[in-house]
Amino acid sequence: RVLGQSNAQRPAWTDGAFLAGGDLSAWIGAPKRPDDDFARFVAAVQAKYPWLDAQVALRLARGYGARVAELVGEAQSLADMGAEVAPGLYERELRFLQAREWAVSSDDVLWRRTKLGLHYTPAEREQVAIWLQANAKNNNDTVEVEVS
């Protein structure tokens, strides 16, 4: 026995647990087939946000799952997403990453969270770094992200 723990078996809590953004039921209803479910989810994201470019909608669906609604929030147009800092990467997503994913550096955003660094030119990666430096948050700051 370690620290008062017994040898009793506890049920696996992860058995029915979802990863962050992984429960798509609010978007597509009951799951049917994983491949079809994701296609239905992408279609639902595109239907809810028809003003999003199809490639951006797909990337957000893949990267954030059901949390895409939290990221997009009350945005009603592409203009509501803020400036396009690099191709398909808007200020709203960067603010979301700062607030919810603790992204601080361009490496956090481009390589650890989104993998967009694989697709951007050095100049585009630099634009992300410049934006993050200009909008840096310290540990005492609060970041406001609209949550729907």
Side-chain angles (χ1 to χ4, degrees):
R1 290 178 49 160
V2 178
L3 298 175
Q5 294 181 357
S6 70
N7 290 333
Q9 288 280 56
R10 290 183 282 179
W13 69 268
T14 58
D15 185 31
F18 292 99
L19 294 174
D23 182 2
L24 305 179
S25 61
W27 288 82
I28 63 168
K32 295 176 181 162
R33 289 180 35 148
D35 53 344
D36 291 340
D37 290 346
F38 186 72
R40 290 188 305 134
F41 172 61
V42 172
V45 169
Q46 290 174 320
K48 185 169 182 172
Y49 310 114
W51 43 268
L52 269 180
D53 175 79
Q55 287 300 98
V56 173
L58 176 62
R59 183 180 67 75
L60 295 178
R62 279 186 181 147
Y64 301 99
R67 295 185 327 149
V68 71
E70 183 182 352
L71 188 156
V72 174
E74 298 299 318
Q76 299 293 312
S77 69
L78 209 49
D80 293 339
M81 296 291 285
E84 187 175 28
V85 177
L89 180 63
Y90 296 88
E91 289 180 313
R92 186 175 198 89
E93 183 176 0
L94 291 169
R95 288 190 181 101
F96 178 85
L97 288 166
Q98 286 177 316
R100 300 293 190 263
E101 298 284 333
W102 303 303
V104 175
S105 69
S106 60
D107 280 352
D108 288 338
V109 170
L110 297 172
W111 302 107
R112 296 182 190 100
R113 305 302 193 281
T114 68
K115 306 298 187 249
L116 287 171
L118 296 168
H119 307 285
Y120 286 168
T121 66
E124 292 165 342
R125 292 192 298 265
E126 181 64 20
Q127 284 303 117
V128 175
I130 290 168
W131 188 93
L132 287 164
Q133 288 170 354
N135 294 277
K137 302 292 180 187
N138 67 39
N139 292 337
N140 296 323
D141 286 342
T142 56
V143 178
E144 293 184 24
V145 174
E146 295 175 25
V147 179
S148 59

